[in-house]
Amino acid sequence: MPSARPLRVIVAKAGLDGHDRGAKVIARALRDAGMEVIYTGLFQAPEQIVQTAIQEDADGVGLSILSGAHMTLFPDVLEQLKAQGAEDIVFFGGGTIPADDAAELKRLGVREIFTPGAPLSQIIEFVQRECGKRRELVG
Amino acid sequence: MAKMIDRASGLGAQPSPEFEEQRTRWERRWASRAARRREPGSGATDRTISDLPLKPVYGPEDVAHLDLARDLGFPGEFPYTRGIHSGMYRDRLWTMRQFSGFGNAKQTNERYHFLLSQGQTGLSVAFDMPTLMGYDSDARQARGEVGRCGVAIDSMRDMQVLFDGIDLGQITTSMTINGPAAIALAEYVATAESKGIPRAKLGGTLQADILKEYIAQKEWIFPPRPHVRIIVDMMKFCTAEMPRWNTISISGYHIREAGSTAVQELAFTLADGFAYVEAAMKAGMDVDTFAPRLSFFFNSHIDFFEEICKFRAARRIYARRMRDKYGAKNPQSWTLRFHTQTAGCSATAQQPENNIVRVAYEAMAGVLGGTQSLHTNSMDEVLALPTEKNVEIALRTQQVLAYETNVTNVIDPLGGSYFVEALTDEMEKQAEDYFKRIEEYGGVIEAIEAGFFQHEIADASYSYQRSLESKDRIIVGVNAFEKEEERQEIDLLKIGEEIERGQARAVQEVRGSRDSAKVETALAVLKRACADETRNVMPPLIDSVNALATEGEIVEAMVGVFGRYRETAIF
């Protein structure tokens, strides 16, 4: 049985990267798909993002990076999730991320990386499925 | 042909009975065709990419209200719809100016020497994120960002390396920087003067358009009001001391990239421009002393005719307002000069070679729209910073356009087209509607504070994305004609972590090697100038960079007076 409370997802921007078009489109799309979405706004430190996720009891965190700093900031968020014992939160992301880097980030524990041109429907389906699983486990 | 021209002054003709018969026949045929449904996914659409309605064919009735002298004129004549120069590309081609910068100053300097050796005619500096946001390379906030989106410039030392072996008295340089624009200008002036070139000889453009940062690009430091004051200080300084320098490049590019429509790009950019004009006039400047050196920067997206019309409408709106609303008397104050860059957001990561084709069409739209300079994107920029090979293809695209296609030989060749004139006029009208809405908020800054622009852009970009999902719009290789096996097979430029470590070391060496008492004095004087609106921040900024104060230190000193801006996050 799916729980009555809608899935809750954080959409985050980290570092100095101000490209927020994609993050905002994803935030709206997830909201329109029935989820509760919290958009962090720009320039968040990895620890702030993870704190927000824990405080809001989020099922997932999506991080958007288009500045090229993905190999620093994704691992930083992963580390913070581990440090806070919040690895159950589904951590995914997207941006201008070359295929090799995306593969490496997934190996490190990022659940999925969506690159430019990924259909919204695919992202929504991923978030619903994975965050839904997490909700069942955690309750 | 003579019949087509109204004897009065209009563009529309008095249709003859024969013409009316032809029209009736066409309408009948069209109606019977239109009754059949269009094939899904055919890519045909009855609206522009910005959602402006399109008719299947245009005729004299669509332009009947236009007046030849009032609305079109001639190239180099008010209202400049047809171009700002009487001879346009017959006299002088546009400047081929490829935006570039990556890694450290030395690497970027090498790229500049390469581009100049390949026939590029101007330089354009891309800075990295920490530099754009006012942080030194060893700041905590700079982690992972140093040298990635552009070149890292921490102090005047880096600026000297960046232009090593390049004659700043000969070349013109465009610097894309906004929050710390005044600091970059100070560093450029100090660098030139250290090589014996007086500031009065320097030619170039500083972007320094802070309003669009709050609207779209989000690279701000201080709140809007002190930021605009700094810009007015720069305008005053350049008017007095740097006659060849363009103080602001008022930019729609980033507004478009953030997801706006073409009309929004047009309207919001011009509204920003007029806000700077008003701020400078309020500070006591005569409009004709600074307006001739304002310039604009637009996006050229993939909807070919809509873009051309946007450029034409921009010139006309600007000319009218500058003359009639702001009372400018110098014709140079009426002319909207602009740089164009092809749309990064139209490029696709899928089948990236296709981007070469997109860029070529977009570049042609910029040229048919009368641009003064052009950057053509490289096919791999959707994936990473471009490699030298791809930058070269992009530059060659401009050269083919300039020297082979012959589109340069006739000025405004689309002028008088029923469609182009009607769409130009429609875009002007819609921009005027936006100006009214912005005025209702009390002005651009007030509209920013209310989140007006940000909401409009977010709505437009979401609806555009939905149209891709539903396949109402087709993007080749993305939602149609996909290819399974293709995976990025092109070489990408990688920026290693050693750049960050090296740059952090270098800035620490600068701090260790200079006379710190001199730095402290310079920064104290700067802070006093910041706190006193009757003083100009530029001279103390030049003193500070000459004392080798780093960008981060200067920004911190200024933040101490002005504070930092925080945005309310909306989506």
Side-chain angles (χ1 to χ4, degrees), chain A residues 15-16 18 20-21 24-25 27-29 31-32 39 41-43 67-69 72 76 96 98-99 101 116 119-121, chain B residues 129-130 133 135 141 143-145 148-149 218 257-259 350 382 458-459 461-462 464-465 469 488 492 569-571:
Chain A
L16 300 178
D20 56 4
R21 174 178 183 168
K24 286 182 171 185
V25 166
R28 279 200 190 193
R31 185 187 62 192
D32 287 359
Y39 170 51
L42 297 167
F43 314 131
S67 69
T72 305
D76 281 0
T96 44
D101 289 350
L120 291 176
S121 54
Chain B
M129 290 304 304
M133 299 295 288
Y135 295 106
Q141 292 87 346
R143 245 177 75 73
E145 311 262 15
R148 294 211 184 268
C149 284
K218 317 294 171 99
E257 291 290 303
Q350 295 78 6
V382 69
D459 286 348
S461 76
Y462 191 52
Y464 177 71
Q465 193 62 38
E469 296 288 314
Q488 298 144 12
L492 295 182
I570 50 160
F571 68 88

Side-chain angles (χ1 to χ4, degrees), chain B residues 100-109 112 125-138 145-147 150-163 175 177 180 183-188 191 499 503 506-507 510 545 549-555:
Chain B
S100 97
F102 61 95
N104 60 32
K106 189 166 179 297
Q107 284 174 305
T108 301
N109 177 261
Y112 290 168
V125 187
F127 296 97
D128 72 352
M129 290 304 304
T131 306
L132 293 171
M133 299 295 288
Y135 295 106
D136 288 339
S137 294
D138 60 345
E145 311 262 15
V146 176
V151 61
I153 302 292
D154 291 318
S155 73
M156 202 255 272
R157 284 251 170 96
D158 292 325
M159 196 67 99
Q160 287 173 321
V161 174
L162 187 66
F163 294 106
M175 288 193 278
I177 189 162
I183 303 171
L185 178 61
E187 287 172 343
Y188 192 76
T191 296
I499 293 288
Q503 193 66 27
V507 66
V510 168
V545 303
T550 66
E551 189 204 22
E553 292 166 335
I554 294 171
V555 164

Side-chain angles (χ1 to χ4, degrees), chain A:
Chain A
M1 271 295 284
S3 70
R5 188 165 69 81
L7 295 171
R8 186 175 285 178
V9 183
I10 310 286
V11 173
K13 288 291 300 180
L16 300 178
D17 174 20
H19 298 87
D20 56 4
R21 174 178 183 168
K24 286 182 171 185
V25 166
I26 299 296
R28 279 200 190 193
L30 296 178
R31 185 187 62 192
D32 287 359
M35 294 175 232
E36 285 180 5
V37 179
I38 296 150
Y39 170 51
T40 62
L42 297 167
F43 314 131
Q44 302 291 302
E47 53 271 28
Q48 288 175 304
I49 293 168
V50 172
Q51 259 167 29
T52 306
I54 292 168
Q55 276 164 13
E56 298 287 347
D57 192 17
D59 299 293
V61 173
L63 177 63
S64 158
I65 298 180
L66 290 92
S67 69
H70 49 269
M71 295 312 282
T72 305
L73 292 169
F74 275 97
D76 281 0
V77 172
L78 275 173
E79 200 178 293
Q80 289 293 324
L81 285 168
K82 277 193 195 119
Q84 302 291 321
E87 288 160 283
D88 54 291
I89 297 175
V90 178
F91 180 42
F92 63 101
T96 44
I97 299 172
D100 293 352
D101 289 350
E104 175 64 9
L105 290 175
K106 282 168 82 169
R107 199 189 59 78
L108 292 173
V110 180
R111 298 283 281 279
E112 191 58 81
I113 294 286
F114 297 97
T115 49
L120 291 176
S121 54
Q122 194 186 330
I123 301 171
I124 293 166
E125 192 206 332
F126 166 85
V127 175
Q128 276 171 337
R129 185 181 68 237
E130 296 303 315
C131 290
K133 278 192 219 158
R134 184 257 175 196
R135 180 64 71 78
E136 272 176 36
L137 286 173
V138 179

Side-chain angles (χ1 to χ4, degrees), chain B residues 48-123:
Chain B
T48 69
I49 203 167
S50 297
D51 226 21
L52 295 177
L54 290 175
K55 296 167 65 171
V57 70
Y58 287 73
E61 68 279 9
D62 296 298
V63 292
H65 61 292
L66 293 178
D67 181 282
L68 280 170
R70 183 194 64 205
D71 298 315
L72 269 75
F74 265 79
E77 291 273 341
F78 192 91
Y80 305 100
T81 312
R82 310 200 63 191
I84 61 167
H85 299 301
S86 54
M88 287 304 289
Y89 306 131
R90 283 257 182 159
D91 290 344
R92 186 167 171 259
L93 282 174
W94 63 90
T95 304
M96 300 181 191
R97 196 190 294 280
Q98 297 292 95
F99 182 48
S100 97
F102 61 95
N104 60 32
K106 189 166 179 297
Q107 284 174 305
T108 301
N109 177 261
E110 284 163 15
R111 175 70 63 94
Y112 290 168
H113 280 284
F114 169 77
L115 286 167
L116 292 171
S117 74
Q118 295 305 303
Q120 174 162 306
T121 47
L123 290 178

